[in-house]
Amino acid sequence: LAGLLLAAAGQPVTSKFPLWDGKESIAGYAKRANLEPTLTLDLGGVKWQGMLIPAGTFVMGSPPGEAKTEKESAIEKQHKVTISEPFYMGKFELTQAQYEKVIGVNPSRTKGDNLPVHNVSWQNAQDFCAKLSKLVKRSAQLPTEAQWEYACRAGTTTAYHSGNTIADLNKVGWHGGNSRGKLHPCGELMPNAWGLYDMHGNIREFVSDLYADAPLADATDPAGPKEGDPKNHVVRGGAYTANAALVLNCRAAIRKPTESLVITGFRIVVRVATPK
C-alpha cells in the first residue's frame, strides 16, 4: 500500500508503507503492513527486543501553556511531522549487559546488567550502533528526535503518554520524586500503548539530531540540523534525578542539549526491510 506524503519542501514523497490510522493496534498495523509486531536480535547470548513503531503522522511539540518557560515553549513549537517508514525501537533503554556484550566494556557508574547503560557519549552510542549493525547484519541506529517523540507519544497528545499530571508520570517514569535517588532496572513501570518502557524517566536518551535552539518545522522524516556543535546532540526523556514537579522536564516534548553523561544513555532503532 503506497501512500503519497508531503515533504517539507512541498514535493510529494512516495511511501512504500501504509500509515497508521490512529486507532488500530500494533498487531493490526503489522498485519496490514506485512511486518512482524516485534523483533528479537541475538547479540551473542544476550537478547535485544524491539517493538514495531508504525509509519504515521503526528503533531510534534507542546501545546501552548504546557512548557514551563518561554524559551522551552518556543523550541517546542507544535508542527506536523510524518514518519514515512515503520521501524523497530528498543522495548527498553539499552541495558549494560547489551552494551558490554557488543562493546566489551561497561562505562556505567552504577553497575547492573539490567540497569540502563549510562555515562556514555553520543559517539559511544554511534559506535555501538555501527558494531551491532555488523554483528546482526541489520541497520541499527539512534532514533531521530522525531522518531523518538512519535514513539513516546504512541498516539497520545498529553504531556506524558499516560496523562498530564505527576501522578500519571509516576506510573510510567522514574524521576526525582519517585526514584529514591537511584537508577532502576529497565521495565519496572507501565509501558506505553506501543509497548515501550521508561520513555519518561530513568535515564535521558541520546537521539541522532544535533541540538539547535530553534523551532522545528513541518517535515517528513526530519533528521535535524546539518551543521552544529558535534559535542551537543539532543537528549530526550526524563531522568531519575529530574525535578519533574518543578520544571516538568520529563514531558514527551522536552528537548534538551547534551548535559551530564552520568544520567544519559540511549535506546536504538532497527530499520524494517523495505517491501519490494
Side-chain angles (χ1 to χ4, degrees):
L1 292 173
L4 202 60
L5 309 178
L6 193 63
Q11 299 299 315
V13 177
T14 300
S15 173
K16 294 183 178 181
F17 297 94
L19 300 185
W20 183 58
D21 67 7
K23 298 175 292 184
E24 66 192 327
S25 66
I26 291 299
Y29 175 84
K31 184 176 181 180
R32 184 160 65 94
N34 195 28
L35 294 168
E36 293 297 325
T38 62
L39 174 69
T40 299
L41 298 178
D42 187 346
L43 313 188
V46 174
K47 305 289 186 182
W48 176 87
Q49 294 175 285
M51 310 303 290
L52 180 65
I53 308 301
T57 298
F58 79 115
V59 176
M60 186 173 177
S62 60
E66 182 184 286
K68 199 70 172 179
T69 67
E70 290 185 9
K71 179 180 178 181
E72 281 185 351
S73 183
I75 64 174
E76 295 171 13
K77 182 180 178 181
Q78 287 189 315
H79 55 289
K80 188 176 181 180
V81 171
T82 295
I83 305 296
S84 70
E85 183 177 301
F87 54 94
Y88 293 100
M89 179 175 252
K91 183 177 183 179
F92 308 113
E93 294 166 318
L94 196 81
T95 68
Q96 294 175 30
Q98 292 166 339
Y99 187 89
E100 188 168 11
K101 176 58 69 172
V102 173
I103 298 299
V105 296
N106 179 7
S108 304
R109 292 281 185 90
T110 303
K111 296 292 197 289
D113 283 352
N114 291 324
L115 294 175
V117 68
H118 56 282
N119 199 37
V120 291
S121 68
W122 183 87
Q123 189 58 56
N124 291 150
Q126 289 290 87
D127 293 344
F128 176 90
C129 291
K131 195 165 184 179
L132 177 64
S133 296
K134 291 181 179 179
L135 177 67
V136 299
K137 296 179 173 56
R138 296 285 297 258
S139 177
Q141 55 204 43
L142 289 176
T144 65
E145 187 177 5
Q147 285 176 323
W148 192 97
E149 185 172 328
Y150 175 63
C152 175
R153 290 187 178 280
T156 65
T157 58
T158 46
Y160 316 106
H161 61 70
S162 51
N164 283 312
T165 70
I166 296 300
D168 294 321
L169 173 61
N170 287 339
K171 300 173 185 176
V172 300
W174 295 115
H175 59 94
N178 68 352
S179 70
R180 302 185 302 281
K182 64 179 184 179
L183 274 174
H184 288 258
C186 296
E188 287 189 336
L189 299 176
M190 292 172 53
N192 70 8
W194 291 348
L196 304 177
Y197 290 81
D198 299 312
M199 297 296 284
H200 290 294
N202 222 15
I203 282 292
R204 296 205 190 282
E205 301 176 21
F206 276 118
V207 295
S208 60
D209 306 42
L210 288 163
Y211 182 82
D213 267 344
L216 305 179
D218 293 0
T220 294
D221 299 325
K226 293 183 179 179
E227 297 182 349
D229 181 354
K231 294 183 179 180
N232 193 7
H233 288 80
V234 178
V235 292
R236 284 300 203 123
Y240 72 99
T241 58
N243 190 333
L246 181 64
V247 293
L248 306 180
N249 57 6
C250 293
R251 297 174 294 111
I254 196 78
R255 309 175 61 223
K256 285 186 171 290
T258 298
E259 47 182 19
S260 171
L261 299 185
V262 177
I263 59 168
T264 307
F266 61 101
R267 76 178 74 211
I268 64 169
V269 299
V270 175
R271 294 189 66 180
V272 301
T274 303
K276 298 179 180 179

